[in-house]
Amino acid sequence: MPVNAASAAVPRPLVFAGFPATAWAFALRVWLAMLLALYVSFWLELDSPSSSALTVAVLALPTRGQGLEKAGYRLVATAIGVVASIAIAGMFSQTDGLLLAVLGIWVGLCVYVAGMLDGNRAYAAALCCITVALVAIQQIDTPLQVFPTGVARGAAIGIGVLAVALVNEVLAAPNYHPVLARRIEALHGRVTDLAQAARPVSATAAASLLHDIAALRPEIASLVTESSIGTARTEAARSALVDLVSALSLGRMLAALPAASPDDIAGLIATSRSWLQAEISRKNAQVCTSLEALREGTRPDHAWRAPLYRSRRIAAETAARAAISFMLIALFFVLTGWPSTELCLTLVAAIIGLSSISPAPRIFALVAVTAMPIACALAGMLKYLIFNGVSEFQLLAIGLAPVVIGLALLISLPNPMLSSLGRLVLVFMIAVLAPTNPQSYDPEVFLVTSLFACLSAVLVFAAQMLLPPLSGDRRVRLLLGEAGRELNHLDRGRTRHLAPEEAAFRDAARIEQILTANGALPLDDQITANAMRYFDQAETLRRCCAELDRLRPGPLAGAAQDARVALVQRDGGTILASAEALREAAARSYPSANSAIAMLVAASSAFARSRSSSQGEQP
């Protein structure tokens, strides 16, 4: 069989037992980092050595930069959580029910902040909730031990972070920027194909491409901690993504122009088509330049911001549900009167916090319900079948090897469900096993711990059934409603602090949230079409306003003001007439107004399509 040059140039990855060599190397690094963290914690005789192993499990990421970035946010969130724990325990330690209410409010506040952020910043907000749970709730009956517990947890987390950093450095963990560059290059090819399509691409395909571009935003931040030139690489990757969204938007404007037009507007259409083609070529060149800067570690020619869109309404409703769920579960334990329920409340707060940063909270809770019994069973087998009373560290290392390496291999899988299951099982297994020096082998304590651990996951899932998370349909309605309101107020005197390219990326981030609101389920084509219609109209309006603002100081100020008045009317014919008036005025006094004319023509096409689609929807 003939082999082409492309297939011959790409070497086949080395595979062993169904996993590539990179996955085995990642699993080995996780195991070694966990052993190093536990060994140092035992040697320093820390009160909570298992926290260092938990830190390694949480920071189990395949590349160096991703792990270090998450580690930095973990340290910051731990410090904030410890301070909050001291304040809450100091002011409300003797207030019984009021203390639980304050803890519920803190959970809701952390969930709200997490809802307004993304990536590891959202994880840090959720970790503030988890830290308070681990420090304040664990010592709810002994408030004087909150400070020593917080210090011990901070020390253990610091050891875990250093262990991960050292092992990744010694074993040469891969960098992430080559992978990110290949992904951006693939997206650039898709954007180019879409812009060169003979016919307008469907709204579903365009929205999917915007989703894939905006989804890379959280991953860019890890480049900062990857090397000394990480900041320059971050700026280059961010600029490439913003220019990709801009090129896609311009391509949709170009495809929306009529192929055939009457003689009286043929010149306007030709002007707009020529300018848009030149602008698309310029944006593609900027993407290539930014990709080259990303690979070489230099700063791009123009550093764009990539603003994030988040809905305050969605974040507030999610936070309220999280706070109420925590307080309901706490009330359940108060009414039952069961002793030693601190661990259960701690895990409840941890699961609620982590589910808040998941795209599908109920699915995450279901995965947690599945992972917890598996983790308890693995911890029991390790403790009573493998270790069976031993206290030597060498036997601990050998016993942990198959479990930790196997779960790390599961984490490395591309399937998000299996990867999440592997990570949760690894984290819960370490939490239930709780390695100490010397190791405790009391079966009664282990059974109670396992029972309450499984109960915590079941109670969170039950609370979400009683008080369901915000549905995907409601999220979509809220996001579309906010997009429509922003469009209505876009050109009516509001302060525009973002460049059109940056604002377009912000709108792309909103479309990414709309597409992921229902999880893996596809959206209705009509909803996708409405979302892309808002995106197209907002982008043309912003670019029109920016181009008209450049004409304001010159002799075309009057024609530019008339064009802005036409934009307020949102009528395609009126906007097209203002473009013709601007062209005539430019021919008499200022010949270089082609960019404003081109965008006005694109806006007339966008709003003409909007009116025709609205009429088509009427019964």
Side-chain angles (χ1 to χ4, degrees), residues 37 54 108 144 158 238 296 331-332 399 412 442 489 508 544 586 592 596 600:
L54 277 173
L144 294 180
R238 187 185 300 122
E296 295 181 358
L331 179 62
F332 169 79
S412 68
D442 189 340
H489 297 87
C544 282
S592 58
L600 286 171

Side-chain angles (χ1 to χ4, degrees), residues 335-347:
L335 295 177
T336 57
W338 292 340
S340 304
T341 57
E342 295 88 355
L343 173 64
C344 194
L345 273 180
T346 300
L347 289 174

Side-chain angles (χ1 to χ4, degrees), residues 235-259:
E235 292 180 0
R238 187 185 300 122
S239 298
L241 293 184
V242 173
D243 285 329
L244 279 177
V245 172
S246 183
L248 174 59
S249 174
L250 292 169
R252 285 182 59 80
M253 295 180 198
L254 179 62
L257 293 178

Side-chain angles (χ1 to χ4, degrees), residues 291-351:
L291 280 173
E292 189 65 25
L294 172 61
R295 295 187 178 95
E296 295 181 358
T298 58
R299 296 187 183 276
D301 296 336
H302 191 289
W304 294 112
R305 292 175 293 174
L308 173 69
Y309 180 83
R310 283 292 184 264
S311 171
R312 291 185 175 88
R313 178 72 177 274
I314 293 176
E317 292 194 19
T318 304
R321 283 171 165 80
I324 294 172
S325 297
F326 179 84
M327 287 188 277
L328 286 176
I329 295 173
L331 179 62
F332 169 79
F333 284 119
V334 170
L335 295 177
T336 57
W338 292 340
S340 304
T341 57
E342 295 88 355
L343 173 64
C344 194
L345 273 180
T346 300
L347 289 174
V348 164
I351 295 173

